[in-house]
Amino acid sequence: CFLPAAVSLFHKTYPGVKVKVYTKSVPELAKMASKGEVDLYISSPGRRSRGISHEKLSDTHLYFCVPKDNPANKELKKYAVTSDAFDKFNPKKQSVDLSVFSDTTFILLNETQYMGEVMRNVFRRYGVTPGDFVYVDQAMTAYAMAAGGVGIALMFDRTIERTVIYPFYLLL
């Protein structure tokens, strides 16, 4: 997550300006912005809210975070991206046959979270039939659970690239 570095730089650049950081769902933040309760929010690409200006900050890619002991890792070893290679990985060159993840447990963000909607669309589009779901409210919780072996989580690269826990990343 790039937020700690951004907040640190902001405080150094504007020492007298106070910052409040909220960890809420995008719909909640959009509602707060429309009411003037927040001046700015940063989110993954997704639904656009009426009356809110949107600015693209960067390109992003989706990764499946797969527990190290998942049997699919052997079959998909050539697609694996480890912490050592993450910065050098070219996501435009590789993608994964998602059918290997059918009947697997997925860690799914709740319906109010954009990533939860993305995952449901991925399942439909690629014909993946998950075996089971574990529902969570935050992306980092899903990622930590994937690292702990609970199941597979779908993450944007910006969420996972600077963290210290690294299961395999299999590009979508």
Side-chain angles (χ1 to χ4, degrees), residues 1-9 21-24 29 41-44 57-58 60 86-87 138-141 143 155-166 169:
C1 180
F2 60 87
L3 187 59
V7 171
S8 177
L9 178 62
V21 176
Y22 297 94
T23 53
K24 297 183 179 286
L29 291 170
Y41 68 92
I42 299 171
S43 72
S44 301
L57 298 177
S58 67
T60 189
F86 192 83
D87 291 336
Q138 297 290 324
M140 287 309 294
T141 302
Y143 181 52
M155 297 281 123
F156 286 113
D157 51 3
R158 298 287 182 213
T159 305
I160 58 178
E161 69 184 349
R162 292 183 178 89
T163 57
V164 293
I165 48 177
Y166 281 96
Y169 306 111

Side-chain angles (χ1 to χ4, degrees), residues 131-147:
D132 199 6
F133 294 109
V134 174
Y135 293 94
V136 298
D137 290 324
Q138 297 290 324
M140 287 309 294
T141 302
Y143 181 52
M145 292 181 90

Side-chain angles (χ1 to χ4, degrees), residues 90-110:
N90 183 348
K92 294 180 181 173
K93 291 188 175 180
Q94 300 181 56
S95 62
V96 174
D97 175 7
L98 303 181
S99 65
V100 299
F101 298 124
S102 286
D103 300 323
T104 301
T105 297
F106 279 84
I107 303 150
L108 194 64
L109 290 176
N110 292 325

Side-chain angles (χ1 to χ4, degrees), residues 14-153:
Y14 306 101
V17 179
K18 293 184 181 181
V19 174
K20 275 189 176 180
V21 176
Y22 297 94
T23 53
K24 297 183 179 286
S25 70
V26 173
E28 288 175 293
L29 291 170
K31 186 175 182 180
M32 291 174 75
S34 69
K35 291 179 172 181
E37 295 171 0
V38 295
D39 298 316
L40 155 78
Y41 68 92
I42 299 171
S43 72
S44 301
R47 293 180 226 116
R48 302 249 174 187
S49 302
R50 286 187 166 168
I52 304 287
S53 295
H54 297 84
E55 181 77 26
K56 180 179 176 181
L57 298 177
S58 67
D59 288 319
T60 189
H61 299 94
L62 294 172
Y63 289 83
F64 276 102
C65 299
V66 181
K68 290 180 181 180
D69 63 350
N70 187 297
N73 285 328
K74 289 180 183 174
E75 185 178 338
L76 300 172
K77 189 171 184 155
K78 70 179 181 176
Y79 299 104
V81 182
T82 62
S83 58
D84 298 335
F86 192 83
D87 291 336
K88 300 174 197 109
F89 183 66
N90 183 348
K92 294 180 181 173
K93 291 188 175 180
Q94 300 181 56
S95 62
V96 174
D97 175 7
L98 303 181
S99 65
V100 299
F101 298 124
S102 286
D103 300 323
T104 301
T105 297
F106 279 84
I107 303 150
L108 194 64
L109 290 176
N110 292 325
E111 292 176 5
T112 59
Q113 297 285 357
Y114 174 66
M115 185 54 76
E117 182 181 319
V118 168
M119 285 188 80
R120 287 171 187 83
N121 289 334
V122 165
F123 297 149
R124 281 190 295 275
R125 182 176 178 186
Y126 294 98
V128 176
T129 306
D132 199 6
F133 294 109
V134 174
Y135 293 94
V136 298
D137 290 324
Q138 297 290 324
M140 287 309 294
T141 302
Y143 181 52
M145 292 181 90
V150 174
I152 296 173

